[in-house]
């Protein structure tokens, strides 16, 4: 789009530039009013979590719905960085995994780490799913989900991460225990080939 698009009323772009609190993490809620080319209007509510983290400071910040915590130990960061966490709906029901959380996106483009930080989901799903089969997944560059090594307890499902990206909590069926250890082939009369 160029300036002629805006002058003719086809589109209008804006951005928010403001000052967020630097002393503590917080949430910012806003509404987006949109109008498409056919003059159809829409309203969307959106929330972000933000924090400013610097080396030597321990910080914990939550996702907008507070279903996930990002824990940054004081020794992890090499340089100061701004961090934004957003959430989007996610509905995956594959043969090997089912999404049970929203997609959590951590954006910190200038984050350099010397040791991993911890991503921790609260285990609010144990009444519907056996928590022993819950694992954290990370979206890869192709848009599919890779399961990452996760520590599972009755309170949290957590993993060490070393980069920004999109993460979600999945229920992973344990197919290893569903495969029989042995089996027998029995002949079926009158077909001699069974």
């Amino acid at each position: 789009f160029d300036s002629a698009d805006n002058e003719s009323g086809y589109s209008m772009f804006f951005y928010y530039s403001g000052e967020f609190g630097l002393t503590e993490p917080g949430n910012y809620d806003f509404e987006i009013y949109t109008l498409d080319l056919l003059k159809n209007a829409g309203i969307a509510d959106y929330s972000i979590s933000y924090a400013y983290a610097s080396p030597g400071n321990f910080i914990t910040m939550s996702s907008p719905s507070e279903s996930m915590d990002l824990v940054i130990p004081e020794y992890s960061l090499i340089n100061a960085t701004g961090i934004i966490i957003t959430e989007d709906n996610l509905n995956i029901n594959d043969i090997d995994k089912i999404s049970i959380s929203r997609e959590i996106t951590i954006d910190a483009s200038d984050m350099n780490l010397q040791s991993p930080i911890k991503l921790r989901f609260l285990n609010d799903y144990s009444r519907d799913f056996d928590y022993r089969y819950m694992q954290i997944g990370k979206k890869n560059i192709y848009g599919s989900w890779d399961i990452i090594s996760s520590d599972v307890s009755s309170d949290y499902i957590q993993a060490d991460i070393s980069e920004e990206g999109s993460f979600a909590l999945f229920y992973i069926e344990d197919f290893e225990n569903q495969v029989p250890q042995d089996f027998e082939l029995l002949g079926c009369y009158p077909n001699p080939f069974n």
Side-chain angles (χ1 to χ4, degrees), residues 5-60:
D5 291 327
N6 193 23
E7 289 172 8
S8 60
Y10 290 120
S11 61
M12 179 173 277
F13 297 94
F14 70 93
Y15 62 92
Y16 176 80
S17 177
E19 201 172 296
F20 293 109
L22 296 179
T23 57
E24 292 184 24
N27 286 338
Y28 183 70
D29 301 320
F30 54 96
E31 289 183 338
I32 300 173
Y33 299 90
T34 61
L35 192 63
D36 67 12
L37 295 176
L38 299 173
K39 306 295 184 193
N40 296 314
I43 301 173
D45 294 324
Y46 206 68
S47 297
I48 63 168
S49 296
Y50 61 88
Y52 180 77
S54 58
N57 293 318
F58 179 87
I59 188 168
T60 300

Side-chain angles (χ1 to χ4, degrees), residues 2 4 8 10 22 28 47 50 58 60 70 81 83 90 113 115 120 128 135 146-148 153 158 160 169 173-174:
D2 59 305
S8 60
Y10 290 120
L22 296 179
Y28 183 70
S47 297
Y50 61 88
F58 179 87
T60 300
L70 186 64
T81 185
I83 302 169
L90 182 65
L113 299 173
S115 65
R120 181 172 60 198
D128 298 323
Q135 298 286 315
D146 298 326
I147 301 303
I148 59 177
S153 73
Q158 56 191 9
D160 290 335
L169 187 60
E173 285 288 337
D174 187 11

Side-chain angles (χ1 to χ4, degrees), residues 92-99 145 147 170-173:
I92 295 178
N93 194 351
D94 289 342
I95 191 167
D96 62 337
K97 63 182 162 281
I98 300 169
S99 60
W145 291 88
I147 301 303
F170 291 92
Y171 179 75
I172 308 293
E173 285 288 337

